[in-house]
Structure formats: C-alpha cells, structure tokens
Amino acid sequence: METLSPTEAQRTLEDWRFWARPSQAPPEGDWRCWLFMGGRGAGKTRAGAEWLRGRVEAGLAARAALVGPTLGDVREVMIEGPSGLRAIAPKAMRPNYEPSRRRLVWPNGAEAYAFSAEDPDSLRGPQFDAAWCDEIGAWTRGEAVWDMLMMALRLGADPRVAATTTPRATALVRRLAADETVAMTRAATRDNAPWLAPGFVDAVEAAYGGTRLGRQELKGEMIDDPPGALWTRSALETLRGRPGDLERVVVAIDPPASVGASADACGIIAAGVDKDGCVYVLADATCQGLRPLDWAGRAVAVAREYEASEIIAEANQGGEMVREVLKLAGGDTPVRLAHARKSKAARAEPVAALYQKGRVRHARAFPELEDQMCAFGADGQGSPDRVDALVWAVSALALKRSGAPRVRGL
C-alpha cells in the first residue's frame, strides 16, 4: 500500500477482491445459483452485497431483485445496513433508494427492486438478470418465493442469483444444499473474528459451543433431523444440566469387531444416576481405529476419572476377551459382560422413552453422540457405536431388568 499513489490506494481499499476471504468470493465456473451458508457475523451480507455491486458496476446486471424475509429486512439490512448496498459503494457509484417504489437506482442506470419472502405473488410479472436473496432460511414461504423468482430470472445472457443465509434446515435450504448444480461456500463466525467486537467470538463459543444453536449459528452447519429418528435435536437441547451428587456411575463399552482405519468405532460412554433416578451422561470417549489394548486403556481411564462402580461391555463381539483386555489395560473396576438378545432399535426404544420423560440429561453438549442419536432409526445411518454404548449405560442405571437389555455375569 505504501508504494501506491493516493488514488491507487483508495481504489484498492474499495476493491472487494482485496479484502474478501475465499468463502466470500463468488465461486468460479458456470453456475446459476451461489449458496453461501455461514454463521452469525461470518460476512454473508457483505458477500452478497459485494457480489451484486460487482455485477452492476461491470455492466452484467441492469435489473436485479432483492429478496429478504420482510421488506423491512431488505431495506434495513440489504440496502441501508452497515454491509448493505449503499454502505459498501464508492461515493461515485452509491445507489439512491426510492422508498415509494421500493427501488434502488445506481448512477449507471442499473436498478434493483425490493421484495418480501412473505409474498410470492409479488414476483409474478417482473423479470430480472440478477437476484440477491438474504437469509433464505428465515423465509416464511421459502419454496414458493424461490420458484417464482426462478421464473422471473430470465433477462440478459447470464442471469444469476446469490443466496446468503444461516443454514437453518428448512425445505428450501435443504433443497438447494442437495442440488449439485448449486455452487456453495461456507464460513464460520470465527472466520470473520477480526471484524467483530473484541471477545465476542470467545464469549458466544463459550456459551453455545457444541450445542445445536451454536453449530448452526456459529459454525454455519446445517443441522437436520431425518424422519424416523428416535431422538430430535430440539428435544436434546432442553435436556442439559449439571449433575449434583451421583449415587452410581458406570462406563459402557460397545467394542468394535475389527481393527484399523475402516473399523467401527469403540463406543465408550460414562453416565451416572442421582438419588431421584435422573441419569446424567457424563462423557463420550468413543474412539476409532485403535487396537484392543488402546481402546481398553481409554475405557479404564474414563472409569477411574469418574469413579465408576463398574464397566459394562457388550459381549457379542469378543466375549471373555473383552474382560481380559480390560484387565491387561490395568483396569481394576469390576467388569460385567452384557449379551444383546434384541435388535439395536428394540434396545434403544426404552432409553429414548426415558429421554422423552426428562429422566436422562446430558452434562454438556456431545456433538458426535447427539448427531448419531438424531440419525438412529432413520434410513441410511451407519453403525451406532456411540448410541449402543449409551443404551447399555442408561439401561443399567435406570431400567428395571424386565425392560432392560439382559446383562449377565460370565
């Protein structure tokens, strides 16, 4: 910058390509729709506004649509906001907003019109060569509005649309994310930390890290609950709490049948029960790809850390070998071998019912365990090693023998 003239330096400061992170830049290639999903404060609005500004100033867009959750959002965020179209424009190219016509006009004659995602029919009739859609995950009539917009995007040689959003798992967001023709970029809130208030990212990550809200709003992940799953994320979010005094703690293991990078994980879950019969999941120490002595050592360490009264290990894979390898790993916690006589789903259903009654809580967020729980019971999910270990632990602590998986000493 020191080698540039004042005019050159000003042009560089106004050039978005100089500042943008890779995720904020439009992807290369011949795409029609660009979907940018990111956390709060990840720079989504700036990216969408700069994309449209670039097309307008290059003469590639002369008549654009601006679509937000409401007309107020379009004006206050997309047009007049700190990262909106007026704020980011160089003085010579700053557009003028005409509220009575809901129209933004650039000095070169290009226009953009404001539309609300509450009114799909407002997009019948108009036609455009570009569109910027903001927070599509918050659109009340998402798919209907999107379909009307796509039919209106018919001007020019290369009409395109940019959609910027926090990735809420709405029908429209899921549809676009699954469409192979849609170009997609992602960003987390932390990626944009230098441009946010000092300490903000650390504070919100400390408060919400690992929770569904944090993963969606900070990490920019799309969290969905497939049909048929025994647990839902919204329900799990309400079942968090720190335990008081626990009367009994167990560690449950779902041993893998093989070893190596492609082997199933070894599920290791620690849980305890208080005097009122409420079970608390304390730790998920599940590991993958380890040799038997190594995963056994991990289970032994967890049992010692939480002063477990026993280790419960599924005996269908390995039988007595599981007990022996735990002893070799230095374990002195009593071991009970559990033999599964019912299907995984049949064993999990009574435990899921305990969650529904509020009798099981998580001492903190366990993202990988909760991902597996919220996929269990749905089609296409893999080996539920974490869930299997969870089911053994909760069953041992909260279910009567008639309703629990059968556990017998060998």
Side-chain angles (χ1 to χ4, degrees):
M1 292 291 287
E2 294 177 354
T3 64
L4 302 178
S5 69
T7 300
E8 291 172 331
Q10 183 62 34
R11 287 177 179 171
T12 300
L13 291 173
E14 293 173 350
D15 188 344
W16 175 239
R17 295 170 296 180
F18 180 77
W19 298 101
R21 304 189 314 273
S23 62
Q24 292 178 296
E28 300 290 338
D30 185 22
W31 49 267
R32 181 177 174 84
C33 174
W34 168 31
L35 175 61
F36 180 18
M37 296 198 295
R40 296 282 189 93
K44 304 184 298 297
T45 301
R46 182 65 183 267
E50 290 285 2
W51 171 79
L52 184 56
R53 169 198 161 195
R55 292 190 67 83
V56 166
E57 294 182 3
L60 299 174
R63 185 178 176 86
L66 303 174
V67 190
T70 67
L71 287 174
D73 292 318
V74 176
R75 178 169 181 173
E76 299 303 323
V77 177
M78 301 173 72
I79 296 175
E80 303 284 4
S83 296
L85 288 160
R86 282 178 46 79
I88 66 168
K91 187 175 181 180
M93 282 297 293
R94 185 164 298 153
N96 180 53
Y97 184 56
E98 302 173 352
S100 61
R101 299 191 62 183
R102 298 183 304 191
R103 183 176 71 165
L104 195 65
V105 183
W106 277 266
N108 67 358
E111 301 173 330
Y113 290 84
F115 295 90
S116 167
E118 299 169 315
D119 184 9
D121 286 339
S122 65
L123 286 159
R124 291 183 181 272
Q127 52 186 351
F128 310 99
D129 53 18
W132 170 29
C133 303
D134 193 40
E135 288 299 346
I136 64 171
W139 288 8
T140 55
R141 304 186 65 184
E143 290 193 288
V145 172
W146 184 265
D147 290 339
M148 290 297 100
L149 177 62
M150 291 302 99
M151 294 180 186
L153 203 64
R154 57 181 184 262
L155 291 181
D158 185 25
R160 297 193 177 197
V161 57
T164 51
T165 191
T166 304
R168 297 175 63 191
T170 63
L172 175 58
V173 175
R174 291 198 304 268
R175 170 178 155 186
L176 296 183
D179 189 337
E180 294 182 355
T181 68
V182 173
M184 184 162 53
T185 58
R186 296 175 180 270
T189 301
R190 181 166 286 280
D191 296 339
N192 207 37
W195 302 101
L196 303 174
F200 168 76
V201 176
D202 289 339
V204 293
E205 285 185 345
Y208 305 108
T211 67
R212 177 182 183 171
L213 181 65
R215 294 176 66 189
Q216 174 179 286
E217 302 291 331
L218 304 179
K219 294 290 188 181
E221 299 179 21
M222 187 168 68
I223 311 298
D224 201 1
D225 293 325
L230 290 183
W231 288 271
T232 64
R233 298 177 195 279
S234 57
L236 289 179
E237 290 292 337
T238 68
L239 296 172
R240 303 199 195 281
R242 295 189 176 277
D245 293 334
L246 296 174
E247 295 195 333
R248 184 182 173 216
V249 174
V250 300
V251 171
I253 307 175
D254 177 40
S258 57
V259 179
S262 61
D264 292 337
C266 176
I268 304 174
I269 299 292
V273 64
D274 65 16
K275 62 181 179 60
D276 297 319
C278 185
V279 174
Y280 288 85
V281 179
L282 306 173
D284 175 11
T286 299
C287 51
Q288 195 272 335
L290 300 185
R291 297 174 302 171
L293 194 60
D294 294 326
W295 57 249
R298 188 162 186 160
V300 167
V302 173
R304 287 175 177 164
E305 178 181 356
Y306 289 95
E307 300 180 350
S309 61
E310 65 178 348
I311 295 176
I312 300 169
E314 184 173 319
N316 293 51
Q317 304 290 350
E320 189 65 30
M321 180 275 292
V322 177
R323 189 200 303 274
E324 293 303 317
V325 77
L326 287 166
K327 288 183 180 178
L328 287 174
D332 52 10
T333 305
V335 176
R336 296 176 65 194
L337 298 183
H339 189 79
R341 299 186 180 277
K342 296 181 180 180
S343 69
K344 294 177 185 292
R347 300 199 308 270
E349 286 170 356
V351 172
L354 290 176
Y355 274 85
Q356 293 172 7
K357 295 176 181 178
R359 290 183 54 195
V360 185
R361 296 183 174 274
H362 290 188
R364 59 181 177 82
F366 299 107
E368 293 174 304
L369 170 63
E370 291 165 11
D371 280 351
Q372 199 173 85
M373 293 171 69
C374 294
F376 187 80
D379 292 337
Q381 67 104 37
S383 177
D385 20 68
R386 298 173 195 269
V387 172
D388 270 2
L390 172 76
V391 167
W392 288 117
V394 175
S395 297
L397 294 170
L399 292 177
K400 295 180 180 180
R401 184 167 298 275
S402 60
R406 185 173 178 182
V407 180
R408 59 189 177 92
L410 295 177

